[in-house]
Amino acid sequence: MWDNLVMSLDQTRSSSARAETPLTAAIMAGRWIRSAAVDDGRGRHWRANPDPRGRSALAAEPASLYAGAAGVVLFFLDLAAATGHEAYLEDARAGARYLAATWRDQTDLSLYHGLTGVVFALAEVAWATGEEGFAAEARAAADRIVRAARPLDDGVGWSRDPAQRGDGGIVLGLLHVSGMLGVPAYGEAAVEAGRRIARLAVPGHLFGDCPGLPADAVTPGFLSGTAGTAFLLARLYGVTRDERFLEAARRGAGFVREVSAVGERCALVPHHVPQGRDLHYLGFCSGSAGVARMFYELYRVTGDRGDLEWAGRLAHGVVRSGVPRRRTAGCWNTACQCCGTAGLVELFTGLWAATGDEAHLEFARTLAEDLIGRATGHDDRGYRWYQAYRRLRPEEVTADTGYMAGAAGIGAALLHLDAAGLAKNPRRVVLLPDNPFPAIPLPAAALRRSEGRG
């Protein structure tokens, strides 16, 4: 096995020297995650933190995409594709069996923390393995989500939160699995729920309902803010060509541009306004890495180069910030997909795949080198990343296993970067429904050259 080969390297050397490539570091992350496996009669899930006497940065979410089995399953699908080893695919199958056995117990329907994320993971396993049983369970769970929609104001939905953490994520998930599972009704339900969101004056965050924020705060970011909702509306416009979705997406994007700090070729997005204008997150959840996705999605569906320019401005703002060498208030001691370096690796790998700009790929490699150098691997249990997941609690340092807050997502970002360097042997990577970049992370010109050689 690849992980046995990697572990045979000199254990006295630094982590950066022991794992010199994104692929070997991801394999070592897989070893850490495997040490957290819990097998029972329902399948396999993974403890959030297998450290002796350790604890997770998050509340227990054994099945979720954010921190539980659904996210870990996606990582093992990517690792199986990268290495060709059936054992990693069996890890994904075992996790999918757990999801299939437990999804009926879920009450949260959202993408990152609930049932929609489970549906997505089951659909991806069915796609990778061809096993109809997983697809059948994904359809049954998606049917439940569709049936749960209810009248809300002047439309239908599941909650009054239009952001990615609420109805926006459910809509994106249903749109994605509609094609994978061959059920047009899921897409139709998603469009109908999206119409209610599009009618909001400025689609996005509910005022002040995030913990720790003032009651009148508004967040322009991605997971719980305006940019993520504008991304959803742009995606709906791409699917339907209904101008009402594009108009609503433009309203959201306009708000984000208005509140951003703009300099020469750069832009930074405030964490919240009006109080947090000088706090600029760089990561996915509330900062540049997520907001850039929204602008790229607008460019993807409209061809407006002004949107692509804004995605580039946000990326350049990250580079100019000095990360990864310099820690900032908006990019502190955190390595994960949600608010840390791994989310930035995803952004710059995706931008290179979309544009072919070599500077993006070089910066993604710089970020990956920093991630690999920060890994802890002093024992035989693999690589993990100790981090202060919550910015306001810097003393709480943990090493989780999950996708958005731990090793699975960090490993996935490294695997996506590894795939970006394989023009002679391109492979599909697993991207979440809110990732607008190519699922085969290569510029179109590189793919054409590869096909020509074949």
Side-chain angles (χ1 to χ4, degrees):
M1 283 293 299
W2 258 96
D3 53 355
N4 293 330
L5 172 62
V6 174
M7 285 306 299
S8 69
L9 298 176
D10 181 1
Q11 295 297 294
T12 65
R13 296 165 70 194
S14 69
S15 59
S16 60
R18 281 188 279 113
E20 296 177 347
T21 71
L23 176 58
T24 54
I27 291 168
M28 293 290 282
R31 176 175 280 261
W32 168 247
I33 295 165
R34 279 177 155 180
S35 77
V38 177
D39 289 300
D40 57 28
R42 300 170 297 177
R44 181 177 302 160
H45 64 282
W46 293 266
R47 297 191 305 279
N49 184 349
D51 265 333
R53 298 180 301 280
R55 60 186 179 81
S56 171
L58 300 159
E61 292 184 356
S64 78
L65 179 60
Y66 197 96
V72 175
V73 161
L74 300 181
F75 164 69
F76 278 120
L77 287 178
D78 269 332
L79 193 54
T83 63
H85 285 295
E86 180 69 23
Y88 295 130
L89 195 58
E90 182 51 38
D91 286 318
R93 285 193 187 96
R97 287 193 287 271
Y98 176 83
L99 297 176
T102 61
W103 69 259
R104 291 167 180 81
D105 301 330
Q106 294 216 27
T107 56
D108 188 325
L109 301 181
S110 67
L111 174 63
Y112 277 98
H113 298 281
L115 189 56
T116 302
V118 170
V119 172
F120 174 72
L122 286 169
E124 286 287 345
V125 175
W127 184 271
T129 65
E131 296 181 28
E132 173 57 29
F134 293 131
E137 291 292 339
R139 292 187 195 99
D143 288 343
R144 175 182 159 193
I145 294 168
V146 171
R147 289 195 303 269
R150 57 193 174 91
L152 289 173
D153 303 325
D154 57 347
V156 297
W158 297 268
S159 73
R160 297 188 182 280
D161 189 345
Q164 294 272 23
R165 64 177 185 177
D167 284 13
I170 298 174
V171 170
L172 277 174
L174 289 176
L175 282 174
H176 189 91
V177 301
S178 177
M180 292 190 76
L181 299 174
V183 184
Y186 301 155
E188 293 164 6
V191 170
E192 185 61 26
R195 289 195 178 101
R196 183 186 71 84
I197 297 172
R199 285 191 279 268
L200 299 173
V202 179
H205 181 55
L206 295 175
F207 289 82
D209 69 339
C210 281
L213 291 187
D216 61 342
V218 179
T219 56
F222 202 78
L223 271 190
S224 59
T226 310
T229 308
F231 174 98
L232 161 70
L233 294 162
R235 175 66 54 85
L236 286 167
Y237 170 70
V239 170
T240 66
R241 293 295 155 178
D242 185 333
E243 291 288 335
R244 290 172 292 184
F245 289 127
L246 180 58
E247 291 165 4
R250 289 288 183 210
R251 291 199 301 274
F255 172 75
V256 173
R257 285 196 301 268
E258 182 179 345
V259 301
S260 294
V262 180
E264 183 182 357
R265 297 178 53 221
C266 294
L268 293 169
V269 181
H271 181 266
H272 60 281
V273 292
Q275 303 88 349
R277 285 187 178 274
D278 294 327
L279 175 58
H280 301 122
Y281 273 35
L282 300 184
F284 162 74
C285 60
S286 301
S288 302
V291 177
R293 291 187 183 192
M294 179 267 290
F295 281 109
Y296 181 76
E297 179 71 3
L298 273 169
Y299 167 71
R300 192 182 70 83
V301 299
T302 67
D304 188 332
R305 295 196 66 83
D307 297 314
L308 183 61
E309 179 192 0
W310 256 85
R313 279 181 175 272
L314 290 158
H316 195 56
V318 172
V319 175
R320 289 284 299 273
S321 74
V323 298
R325 295 176 302 281
R326 176 174 176 260
R327 298 283 175 248
T328 72
C331 192
W332 60 101
N333 178 27
T334 181
C336 63
Q337 284 261 6
C338 184
C339 47
T341 307
L344 293 172
V345 172
E346 293 278 25
L347 170 66
F348 283 90
T349 300
L351 282 173
W352 173 73
T355 67
D357 185 338
E358 289 291 332
H360 292 318
L361 185 60
E362 286 306 311
F363 192 67
R365 288 171 174 156
T366 298
L367 293 164
E369 288 171 5
D370 177 73
L371 270 179
I372 294 168
R374 293 169 61 187
T376 295
H378 60 278
D379 51 25
D380 64 351
R381 299 173 67 197
Y383 279 7
R384 59 273 204 188
W385 285 262
Y386 288 94
Q387 60 176 4
Y389 170 73
R390 300 185 189 280
R391 180 181 62 86
L392 297 177
R393 302 178 193 170
E395 73 283 356
E396 294 183 4
V397 176
T398 59
D400 281 24
T401 58
Y403 199 95
M404 295 305 295
I410 295 170
L414 293 173
L415 290 171
H416 299 168
L417 176 60
D418 173 71
L422 301 178
K424 294 182 179 179
N425 189 25
R427 70 172 187 263
R428 176 183 180 265
V429 299
V430 179
L431 300 182
L432 302 188
D434 56 17
N435 190 321
F437 298 118
I440 298 177
L442 290 170
L447 281 175
R448 285 195 294 271
R449 288 195 298 271
S450 177
E451 291 167 358
R453 285 192 296 267

